[in-house]
Amino acid sequence: MEVHNPTTMPGQKSVNQQSWPQDVGILALEIYFPAQYVEQNELEEFDGVSQGKYTIGLGQQKMGFCSDREDINSLCLTVVQRLMERNQVSYQDVGRLEVGTETVIDKSKSVKTVLMQLFEDSGNTSIEGVDTTNACYGGTSALFNSLNWIESSAWDGRYAIVVAGDIAVYATGNARCTGGAGAVAMLLGSHAPLVFDRGLRSTHMQHVYDFYKPDMSSEYPVVDGKLSIQCYLGALDRCYQTYCQKAEACLKQENLGSHFSLDSSAFFAFHTPYCKLVQKSLARLMLNDFLRDPDAGANPKYSGLEAVRGVKLEDTYFDRDVEKAVMVASQSSYKEKTEPTLSVAKQVGNMYTPSLYGGLASILGSYSCSELAGKRVTLFSYGSGLASSMFSLHFSEDASPGSQLERVCLSLCDLQERLDSRKKMPPADFDKMMKLREETHHKAPYTPVGDVEALFSGTWYLTEVDSKHRRKYERKALAQATSIPSSPVAAAPPVSVKGLPTASAQAVAASTTSN
């Protein structure tokens, strides 16, 4: 067996082209959000809307926002360097870096190329990947591309890093309260504590104008709100149906059962434009389960749904009676399986591409590794236009002291502390900052005026945009270097593939029985 250096992480393997890399997934995860926020209840009063419109109607508590000192490049620089430092990863050991974002500030130069300045001292320029863009789905596409690289003949045994980052801002009006900002970076490799279920992935793509950004001179999108909700729920239905078919085929092949439902996963995480839509989405999955189950009438968990037995899913997107019935029936499932994924979304807002992965960070920051061991997370990713997928991962069984699962959980155990350390800003100051961003968007030359001292330590920030639109950045000094204690890990040799669904079927069965 190969024993890894105590200061490194598992996942770097000599490549055996005759077998799959074993347990491919997330070795480490880091999240960044701005150091200031506005309270949604105060924003309700400032905007002159009814009390509870944002806090109850949308389910939001706080919204993070950036000054003119931060842009998509600085967000991604911050989260990647934090990932590398806290996990003591060598820049030479990265072979792929891909960014998912819809915050485009240059129509040619990628954010990935800006991130390459972090690798200059290491001399490592052999790093595949660029940027991937499709609304809020870009991070998931970057993730799939990187997983595919690790499981391909192109993989050279090094890590992949996936970055999802965005700044979500809206014009003055009803949608402004659904903004947010942040970035998530994930370190991928083999022998991971968060293992993606191989062969279990469903996708739905469609041409539609529900949300898009045709004006390159503005940060603001064009949004058809009602159509966007319909597209989101319709894509969720299609992805869940296909995902269930694949999961059930895996189970049958291995004689491990024949039915997949909400009971088969410990957690369900969703792309989160706002939290109330996510609650409705979990209810939507219960409606799918109810309509798919021939014995639903005998199951007490479906109590109250008898009247909706004959409905067609496509007729129910805005049916208040159906929505109310499934929201009530799914309340306990929501509290157990989905509400724990919304800690970041409630307090930061819609981060666009990192939104779904902020849900994963919320889980890791809310439970101990012993509580998560062996559990399964089903994830739904959506990007307008539209692109959507459902996929899953499971936590490793090893929750022993010093395990890699413990390491990942420890890295996010201070998540709520980080959220609480932000500075609350008055809605009037938030409004002024939005106007400043609007007036200076793509302005050149330009020198930002935001307060550098207000940023978290270790944050990269914009210092200048010159007359040729070239951007320069500096990093605020770290108050204290932080790293996560590592431990030696004995890596098992890669396991040859005997049949694609095998690992997935076993993961589904194990997760079902562990709930």
Side-chain angles (χ1 to χ4, degrees), residues 19 145 152 156 215 217 235 303 329 350 369 394 499:
S19 62
N145 290 343
S152 76
D156 59 8
D215 184 355
S217 67
S303 176
N350 183 7
C369 62
H394 60 275

PDB file of all heavy atoms in Angstrom, residues 19 145 152 156 215 217 235 303 329 350 369 394 499:
ATOM      1  N   SER A  19      -7.875   0.546 -15.368  1.00  0.00           N
ATOM      2  CA  SER A  19      -8.901   0.542 -14.331  1.00  0.00           C
ATOM      3  C   SER A  19      -9.412   1.953 -14.072  1.00  0.00           C
ATOM      4  O   SER A  19      -8.761   2.942 -14.408  1.00  0.00           O
ATOM      5  CB  SER A  19      -8.335  -0.046 -13.038  1.00  0.00           C
ATOM      6  OG  SER A  19      -7.263   0.745 -12.568  1.00  0.00           O
ATOM      7  N   ASN A 145     -16.869  18.197 -16.295  1.00  0.00           N
ATOM      8  CA  ASN A 145     -15.686  18.144 -17.161  1.00  0.00           C
ATOM      9  C   ASN A 145     -14.461  17.647 -16.398  1.00  0.00           C
ATOM     10  O   ASN A 145     -13.652  16.861 -16.912  1.00  0.00           O
ATOM     11  CB  ASN A 145     -15.390  19.527 -17.735  1.00  0.00           C
ATOM     12  CG  ASN A 145     -16.411  19.973 -18.755  1.00  0.00           C
ATOM     13  OD1 ASN A 145     -17.175  19.174 -19.278  1.00  0.00           O
ATOM     14  ND2 ASN A 145     -16.435  21.265 -19.044  1.00  0.00           N
ATOM     15  N   SER A 152     -10.502   9.712 -17.341  1.00  0.00           N
ATOM     16  CA  SER A 152     -10.152   9.523 -18.755  1.00  0.00           C
ATOM     17  C   SER A 152      -8.690   9.127 -18.919  1.00  0.00           C
ATOM     18  O   SER A 152      -7.898   9.165 -17.973  1.00  0.00           O
ATOM     19  CB  SER A 152     -10.392  10.828 -19.527  1.00  0.00           C
ATOM     20  OG  SER A 152      -9.360  11.767 -19.251  1.00  0.00           O
ATOM     21  N   ASP A 156      -3.315  12.516 -15.565  1.00  0.00           N
ATOM     22  CA  ASP A 156      -1.922  12.212 -15.247  1.00  0.00           C
ATOM     23  C   ASP A 156      -1.696  12.015 -13.754  1.00  0.00           C
ATOM     24  O   ASP A 156      -0.560  12.005 -13.285  1.00  0.00           O
ATOM     25  CB  ASP A 156      -1.005  13.319 -15.783  1.00  0.00           C
ATOM     26  CG  ASP A 156      -1.342  14.699 -15.210  1.00  0.00           C
ATOM     27  OD1 ASP A 156      -2.175  14.785 -14.284  1.00  0.00           O
ATOM     28  OD2 ASP A 156      -0.771  15.695 -15.700  1.00  0.00           O
ATOM     29  N   ASP A 215     -27.254  42.401 -22.890  1.00  0.00           N
ATOM     30  CA  ASP A 215     -26.629  43.721 -22.902  1.00  0.00           C
ATOM     31  C   ASP A 215     -25.252  43.635 -22.261  1.00  0.00           C
ATOM     32  O   ASP A 215     -25.118  43.576 -21.040  1.00  0.00           O
ATOM     33  CB  ASP A 215     -27.517  44.714 -22.141  1.00  0.00           C
ATOM     34  CG  ASP A 215     -26.982  46.142 -22.193  1.00  0.00           C
ATOM     35  OD1 ASP A 215     -25.873  46.344 -22.738  1.00  0.00           O
ATOM     36  OD2 ASP A 215     -27.670  47.047 -21.678  1.00  0.00           O
ATOM     37  N   SER A 217     -23.082  45.799 -21.854  1.00  0.00           N
ATOM     38  CA  SER A 217     -22.669  47.001 -21.127  1.00  0.00           C
ATOM     39  C   SER A 217     -23.243  47.046 -19.719  1.00  0.00           C
ATOM     40  O   SER A 217     -22.972  47.980 -18.966  1.00  0.00           O
ATOM     41  CB  SER A 217     -23.108  48.253 -21.895  1.00  0.00           C
ATOM     42  OG  SER A 217     -24.525  48.363 -21.916  1.00  0.00           O
ATOM     43  N   ALA A 235     -37.811  21.340 -15.529  1.00  0.00           N
ATOM     44  CA  ALA A 235     -36.510  20.673 -15.624  1.00  0.00           C
ATOM     45  C   ALA A 235     -36.290  19.747 -14.440  1.00  0.00           C
ATOM     46  O   ALA A 235     -35.722  18.656 -14.581  1.00  0.00           O
ATOM     47  CB  ALA A 235     -35.397  21.722 -15.694  1.00  0.00           C
ATOM     48  N   SER A 303     -50.466  11.160   3.030  1.00  0.00           N
ATOM     49  CA  SER A 303     -51.773  11.565   3.544  1.00  0.00           C
ATOM     50  C   SER A 303     -52.069  13.006   3.116  1.00  0.00           C
ATOM     51  O   SER A 303     -51.236  13.899   3.243  1.00  0.00           O
ATOM     52  CB  SER A 303     -51.780  11.475   5.066  1.00  0.00           C
ATOM     53  OG  SER A 303     -52.995  11.934   5.590  1.00  0.00           O
ATOM     54  N   ALA A 329     -47.601  17.957   2.992  1.00  0.00           N
ATOM     55  CA  ALA A 329     -47.206  16.548   3.077  1.00  0.00           C
ATOM     56  C   ALA A 329     -45.696  16.364   3.176  1.00  0.00           C
ATOM     57  O   ALA A 329     -45.213  15.414   3.799  1.00  0.00           O
ATOM     58  CB  ALA A 329     -47.746  15.790   1.865  1.00  0.00           C
ATOM     59  N   ASN A 350     -28.557  34.498  -3.479  1.00  0.00           N
ATOM     60  CA  ASN A 350     -28.312  33.687  -4.666  1.00  0.00           C
ATOM     61  C   ASN A 350     -26.913  33.978  -5.204  1.00  0.00           C
ATOM     62  O   ASN A 350     -26.641  35.076  -5.689  1.00  0.00           O
ATOM     63  CB  ASN A 350     -29.364  33.994  -5.737  1.00  0.00           C
ATOM     64  CG  ASN A 350     -29.212  33.117  -6.972  1.00  0.00           C
ATOM     65  OD1 ASN A 350     -28.411  32.185  -7.000  1.00  0.00           O
ATOM     66  ND2 ASN A 350     -29.989  33.414  -7.990  1.00  0.00           N
ATOM     67  N   CYS A 369     -18.588  14.559  11.209  1.00  0.00           N
ATOM     68  CA  CYS A 369     -18.298  13.538  10.202  1.00  0.00           C
ATOM     69  C   CYS A 369     -18.964  12.213  10.555  1.00  0.00           C
ATOM     70  O   CYS A 369     -19.360  11.450   9.669  1.00  0.00           O
ATOM     71  CB  CYS A 369     -16.786  13.380  10.014  1.00  0.00           C
ATOM     72  SG  CYS A 369     -15.884  12.841  11.472  1.00  0.00           S
ATOM     73  N   HIS A 394     -21.917  10.369  -2.180  1.00  0.00           N
ATOM     74  CA  HIS A 394     -22.072   9.829  -0.833  1.00  0.00           C
ATOM     75  C   HIS A 394     -20.802  10.069  -0.036  1.00  0.00           C
ATOM     76  O   HIS A 394     -19.704  10.150  -0.593  1.00  0.00           O
ATOM     77  CB  HIS A 394     -22.419   8.331  -0.870  1.00  0.00           C
ATOM     78  CG  HIS A 394     -21.399   7.471  -1.540  1.00  0.00           C
ATOM     79  ND1 HIS A 394     -21.371   7.264  -2.900  1.00  0.00           N
ATOM     80  CD2 HIS A 394     -20.351   6.761  -1.031  1.00  0.00           C
ATOM     81  CE1 HIS A 394     -20.364   6.464  -3.212  1.00  0.00           C
ATOM     82  NE2 HIS A 394     -19.721   6.153  -2.093  1.00  0.00           N
ATOM     83  N   GLY A 499     -18.350  -3.533 -14.171  1.00  0.00           N
ATOM     84  CA  GLY A 499     -19.659  -3.155 -14.693  1.00  0.00           C
ATOM     85  C   GLY A 499     -19.974  -1.770 -14.173  1.00  0.00           C
ATOM     86  O   GLY A 499     -19.896  -1.542 -12.982  1.00  0.00           O
TER      87      GLY A 499
END
